[in-house]
């Protein structure tokens, strides 16, 4: 089946040449499409366990994963694309895709450059990968519903929906991907355990490299530093009590009291004992 897809799109499985696809083509079985002025919509479905070799598109576009999932690899990163993922592709971005055990459906939006500034997506394309909010997912389903039963006002509906999508995506990019909040919550809940970067990624369905970049970009710390922060915040709360320092150190996830003291001094500028005494003087 995939050989037929590859043949139609000008890609061969044995070739390592990157094929550039124009805005009218997407790899996969096209199940719906619409061209309304500056907006071109392509809905594509992919069977399970399909691999799409290296390719790129000649224009920027946005992909919304509405069901199923796959792994997309670019030259910079691997993206775990599940239902609700949004991919904002640069023109010419080279990538390959490996689909999972479930059929996958994607909604692809190609937006004419002259219209991008009007819908607040001028600086979104090329931003990479985010996890959409529930409201964004609902808007994409509205796009799909319009394509299933179009009428004379469908162009107006689509343009209105895409205007709203542009605003929502901009806000989500500024605050970080939706899974970043879940990653922070996971760390705050499990900071005392010996969790790894992969543990955090697995908990929120993101690749470890994505997790590391997101914490650097939005929180300006590494994941390890975020874990230390959570441990120290817990310790600061517990230092209000009369509990032994060794017990607090152990519950916060430190190897021993000495490790706790060194880390506390580095982050707080004082020792745990001195911090406790200052609390009693207030």
């Amino acid at each position: 089946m995939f050989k037929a897809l590859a043949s139609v799109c000008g890609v061969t499985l044995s070739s390592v040449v990157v094929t550039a696809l124009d805005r009218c083509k997407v790899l996969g079985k096209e199940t719906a499409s619409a061209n309304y002025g500056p907006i071109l919509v392509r809905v594509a479905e992919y069977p399970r366990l399909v691999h799409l070799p290296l390719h790129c598109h000649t224009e920027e576009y946005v992909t919304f994963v509405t069901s199923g999932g796959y792994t997309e690899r670019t030259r910079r990163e691997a993206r775990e694309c599940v239902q609700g993922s949004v991919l904002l592709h640069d023109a010419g971005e080279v990538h390959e895709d490996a689909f999972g055990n479930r059929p996958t459906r994607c909604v692809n939006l190609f937006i004419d450059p002259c219209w991008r500034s009007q819908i607040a997506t001028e600086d979104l394309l090329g931003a990479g990968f985010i996890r959409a909010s529930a409201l964004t997912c609902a808007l994409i389903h509205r796009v799909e519903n319009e394509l299933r039963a179009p009428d004379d006002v469908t162009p107006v509906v689509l343009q209105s929906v895409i205007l709203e999508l542009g605003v929502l995506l901009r806000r989500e990019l500024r605050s970080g991907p939706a899974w970043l909040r879940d990653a922070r919550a996971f760390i705050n809940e499990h900071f005392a355990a010996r969790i790894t970067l992969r543990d955090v990624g697995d908990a929120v369905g993101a690749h470890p490299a994505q997790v590391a970049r997101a914490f650097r970009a939005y929180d300006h710390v590494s994941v390890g530093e975020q874990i230390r922060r959570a441990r120290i915040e817990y310790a600061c709360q517990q230092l209000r009590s009369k509990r032994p320092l060794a017990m607090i150190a152990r519950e916060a996830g430190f190897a021993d009291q000495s490790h706790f003291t060194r880390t506390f001094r580095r982050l707080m500028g004082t020792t745990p004992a001195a911090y406790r005494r200052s609390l009693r003087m207030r």
Side-chain angles (χ1 to χ4, degrees), residues 7 31 71 95 115 126 131 136 160 174 218 222 240:
S7 176
T31 59
T71 299
H95 56 275
W115 208 59
R131 194 64 49 77
T136 298
S160 299
R174 285 177 175 173
Y218 296 101
S222 68
R240 297 179 180 276

Side-chain angles (χ1 to χ4, degrees), residues 112-134:
D112 193 274
C114 68
W115 208 59
R116 284 181 208 143
S117 60
Q118 301 180 44
I119 63 171
T121 61
E122 192 67 34
D123 59 346
L124 294 184
L125 294 170
F129 170 91
I130 62 174
R131 194 64 49 77
S133 65

Side-chain angles (χ1 to χ4, degrees), residues 39 142-143 146 151 153-163:
I39 302 170
R142 284 188 60 189
V143 171
E146 281 295 323
D151 57 22
V153 298
T154 292
V156 178
V157 173
L158 284 179
Q159 292 185 10
S160 299
V161 170
I162 292 173
L163 276 169

Side-chain angles (χ1 to χ4, degrees), residues 11 31 46 80 106 112 131 145 149 173 241 257-258 277 281:
V11 178
T31 59
Y46 304 85
E80 296 302 324
C106 297
D112 193 274
R131 194 64 49 77
N145 290 335
L173 279 171
S241 69
Q257 187 173 335
S258 177
R277 285 194 298 270
M281 294 173 62

Side-chain angles (χ1 to χ4, degrees), residues 47-237:
R48 56 190 294 272
L49 303 178
V50 164
H51 173 255
L52 305 182
L54 291 172
H55 63 282
C56 67
H57 296 257
T58 57
E59 294 191 28
E60 298 93 341
Y61 70 105
V62 183
T63 296
F64 297 86
V65 183
T66 58
S67 65
Y70 60 98
T71 299
E72 179 169 282
R73 295 186 181 277
T74 70
R75 289 171 175 168
R76 296 180 301 175
E77 63 182 354
R79 303 161 175 168
E80 296 302 324
C81 310
V82 298
Q83 181 175 336
S85 296
V86 184
L87 294 97
L88 304 115
H89 296 94
D90 263 333
E93 180 189 70
V94 177
H95 56 275
E96 62 178 335
D97 304 301
F99 290 81
N101 289 319
R102 295 176 53 203
T104 298
R105 186 174 68 254
C106 297
V107 176
N108 301 283
L109 297 182
F110 297 85
I111 302 167
D112 193 274
C114 68
W115 208 59
R116 284 181 208 143
S117 60
Q118 301 180 44
I119 63 171
T121 61
E122 192 67 34
D123 59 346
L124 294 184
L125 294 170
F129 170 91
I130 62 174
R131 194 64 49 77
S133 65
L135 182 54
T136 298
C137 292
L139 289 174
I140 288 300
H141 286 305
R142 284 188 60 189
V143 171
E144 290 189 283
N145 290 335
E146 281 295 323
L147 294 181
R148 292 189 187 102
D151 57 22
D152 60 315
V153 298
T154 292
V156 178
V157 173
L158 284 179
Q159 292 185 10
S160 299
V161 170
I162 292 173
L163 276 169
E164 191 170 354
L165 276 172
V167 173
L168 286 175
L169 290 177
R170 179 184 293 273
R171 287 177 176 171
E172 289 170 17
L173 279 171
R174 285 177 175 173
S175 62
W179 56 258
L180 181 57
R181 295 189 293 273
D182 296 333
R184 296 186 189 110
F186 178 81
I187 289 173
N188 288 336
E189 185 176 351
H190 298 90
F191 61 82
R194 295 187 178 277
I195 57 176
T196 66
L197 182 58
R198 183 167 294 279
D199 292 332
V200 179
D202 289 345
V204 300
H207 191 274
Q210 292 174 320
V211 175
R213 277 193 294 274
F215 272 95
R216 282 292 186 192
Y218 296 101
D219 293 350
H220 309 293
V221 295
S222 68
V223 173
E225 289 167 333
Q226 186 74 9
I227 294 172
R228 288 195 191 101
R229 282 184 178 182
R231 289 176 173 178
I232 294 301
E233 287 174 3
Y234 171 82
C236 287
Q237 295 172 1

